[in-house]
Amino acid sequence: MKNLFKKLVVSVTLPSLLLLGACSGSSESTGSETSGGDNTAAESGIQERVIRAGIGLNEDHPEGQGLLKFKEIVEEKTDGKIKVEPYFSAQLGDDMQMTEALKAGTQEVTIPSTSPLVGMVKEFGIFDFPFIFNNGEEADAVLDGAVGQKVLEKLPEHNLVGLAYWENGFRNLTNSKHPVKTAADFKGLKIRTMQNEVHLDAFKALGANPTPMAFSEVFTALESKTVDGQENPFPTIESNKFNEVQDYLSQTNHVYTPFVFLMSKKFWDDLSEEEKTIVKDAAVEAGKYQRQVNREANEKSLQNLKDAGMNVNELSDKDKKEIQEIIQPVIDQYAGKFGKDLVDEMNNQLEEIRGN
Ligand code: KDG
């Protein structure tokens, strides 16, 4: 209870303090403070600034390691004139709250999963199609190529800038009821999902009972049995200790989730061209590092979860195929909604990569 209270105090106090700092315009805390007060971005020159960067996962998670790498690169490249303040474990709010703070200019960076952003930029939804990517390399090629960049171009109208894609990873199902080995095993399971219509409808098609929820509420919901299960990549399951409140881990690998490195457009527009190049290159370089750390952590986390006593099962190719067939109508429905041309472009690129 004490821990919960402490977390509550921090989570309520910190955003308000930052907001006060921003409103008071103190040079240290606003993030987008420029000494000259000149609103047109200069071509060159680096000014003293603070980047408040919040994420929902903790420092040990590969996403946290990636954020520390971003901090290291930016502070090195600017001789410490641009400082990055990392905030972990939803200290500044959940993904959607931090995204809103970027739009308002009271926070500079957050790196959410793309899934909860589909309500704002529907095209992000094409990355939520179950089983669309066979491996991380295919995901990298699509996200870093023309399709991924076209989706990022939808962000500025929402006062956001997308600087890079990072990796959350392939998601796997945990629950406290029974092993999930076949499509029928999903029936009746209360599963927490991200706030994403494709995920919700896919689990409904399998007969499950999905509940959308912010990530910061998941552990408590599992502990109190409000929901039976959740789905996330192995590093997230391990670093958030979901094995303490879940018995079964089924290696469904049912969908790949990207992270997207978001920056407040208000802050971005105020940067000089030189500063823009530094933060953009740092987001991309830290993203490549983060993907590598995440892939190394994936296998290690699976083994650690087995060693921690989770009942881990795989699914046969036959059962995976049956699950894919049940979900396919959901994908077809949303392909139309998210933009058939973009979906065709993604599928054509994947066929080219696979040599089909
Ligand atoms: O920082 C990102 C997390 O808050 C979240 O996106 C993790 O995959 C996630 C989930 O299940 O919400």
Side-chain angles (χ1 to χ4, degrees):
M1 195 53 193
K2 203 169 67 175
N3 269 349
L4 189 64
F5 175 73
K6 198 172 113 199
K7 196 170 172 185
L8 202 62
V9 168
V10 169
S11 61
V12 168
T13 313
L14 211 47
S16 336
L17 281 180
L18 289 173
L19 204 56
L20 280 175
C23 298
S24 70
S26 65
S27 60
E28 277 312 305
S29 67
T30 60
S32 53
E33 183 70 30
T34 54
S35 48
D38 169 13
N39 287 329
T40 52
E43 279 303 307
S44 65
I46 298 170
Q47 302 184 17
E48 289 199 355
R49 301 176 189 273
V50 173
I51 294 177
R52 294 160 294 186
I55 60 172
L57 296 169
N58 57 42
E59 187 171 350
D60 297 336
H61 187 280
E63 189 189 33
Q65 294 302 300
L67 179 51
L68 291 174
K69 175 61 74 174
F70 173 76
K71 169 182 171 69
E72 177 192 315
I73 297 168
V74 167
E75 292 181 353
E76 186 190 319
K77 290 272 176 73
T78 63
D79 293 330
K81 287 180 86 173
I82 299 182
K83 293 211 177 349
V84 177
E85 290 179 355
Y87 295 92
F88 305 101
S89 303
Q91 285 177 289
L92 301 186
D94 64 42
D95 290 336
M96 295 318 289
Q97 289 164 333
M98 290 192 278
T99 301
E100 288 307 312
L102 264 58
K103 291 180 180 179
T106 56
Q107 183 180 327
E108 288 67 50
V109 161
T110 191
I111 315 169
S113 297
T114 53
S115 306
L117 303 178
V118 175
M120 176 180 66
V121 174
K122 67 179 187 316
E123 291 79 1
F124 274 127
I126 67 173
F127 306 133
D128 289 301
F129 291 162
F131 306 106
I132 191 78
F133 297 126
N134 291 332
N135 52 56
E137 290 67 28
E138 288 185 2
D140 297 352
V142 168
L143 293 164
D144 297 346
V147 170
Q149 298 317 304
K150 279 179 185 172
V151 181
L152 294 183
E153 285 163 12
K154 307 281 182 186
L155 287 166
E157 67 192 77
H158 299 281
N159 294 324
L160 297 167
V161 175
L163 297 186
Y165 289 100
W166 289 15
E167 176 170 278
N168 192 346
F170 286 95
R171 306 177 77 90
N172 296 277
L173 180 72
T174 66
N175 82 88
S176 56
K177 293 278 187 185
H178 53 70
V180 171
K181 294 181 178 174
T182 67
D185 290 339
F186 284 89
K187 195 162 177 46
L189 279 180
K190 288 183 287 184
I191 299 173
R192 174 271 174 178
T193 70
M194 292 188 281
Q195 300 105 320
N196 176 283
E197 55 193 325
V198 180
H199 290 207
L200 284 166
D201 285 352
F203 279 110
K204 281 177 191 165
L206 289 165
N209 180 4
T211 306
M213 189 184 296
F215 183 72
S216 49
E217 298 161 24
V218 174
F219 187 91
T220 307
L222 295 171
E223 190 176 40
S224 61
K225 300 267 188 282
T226 307
V227 292
D228 301 322
Q230 65 83 46
E231 39 84 59
N232 252 292
F234 300 136
T236 302
I237 297 167
E238 182 191 16
S239 62
N240 288 274
K241 301 187 183 346
F242 289 161
N243 57 291
E244 293 179 358
V245 289
Q246 297 276 267
D247 303 314
Y248 303 97
L249 168 58
S250 304
Q251 296 184 61
T252 49
N253 251 14
H254 54 275
V255 69
Y256 176 92
T257 304
F259 285 136
V260 59
F261 191 107
L262 297 177
M263 180 166 275
S264 163
K265 188 174 182 300
K266 180 171 179 284
F267 181 76
W268 172 261
D269 288 346
D270 195 52
L271 298 178
S272 69
E273 290 310 310
E274 185 181 2
E275 291 170 321
K276 283 187 167 87
T277 302
I278 289 171
V279 295
K280 161 86 177 171
D281 290 353
V284 171
E285 188 183 339
K288 290 188 170 19
Y289 166 80
Q290 187 271 339
R291 281 169 171 171
Q292 185 192 338
V293 170
N294 202 55
R295 286 163 198 174
E296 288 163 6
N298 203 49
E299 285 314 307
K300 254 185 274 173
S301 290
L302 174 58
Q303 188 53 53
N304 293 343
L305 291 166
K306 288 176 179 173
D307 296 346
M310 286 201 91
N311 179 323
V312 180
N313 72 273
E314 295 185 58
L315 282 78
S316 68
D317 289 345
K318 172 179 161 297
D319 287 310
K320 273 189 176 176
K321 192 167 181 323
E322 185 188 354
I323 290 167
Q324 290 177 26
E325 283 164 3
I326 292 170
I327 290 175
Q328 190 55 46
V330 173
I331 296 175
D332 297 341
Q333 171 203 336
Y334 281 104
K337 180 172 180 182
F338 297 150
K340 194 175 173 320
D341 293 351
L342 196 61
V343 173
D344 289 348
E345 189 177 347
M346 175 170 68
N347 285 327
N348 292 339
Q349 185 182 0
L350 289 169
E351 279 180 23
E352 222 172 278
I353 292 169
R354 295 165 187 163
N356 296 357

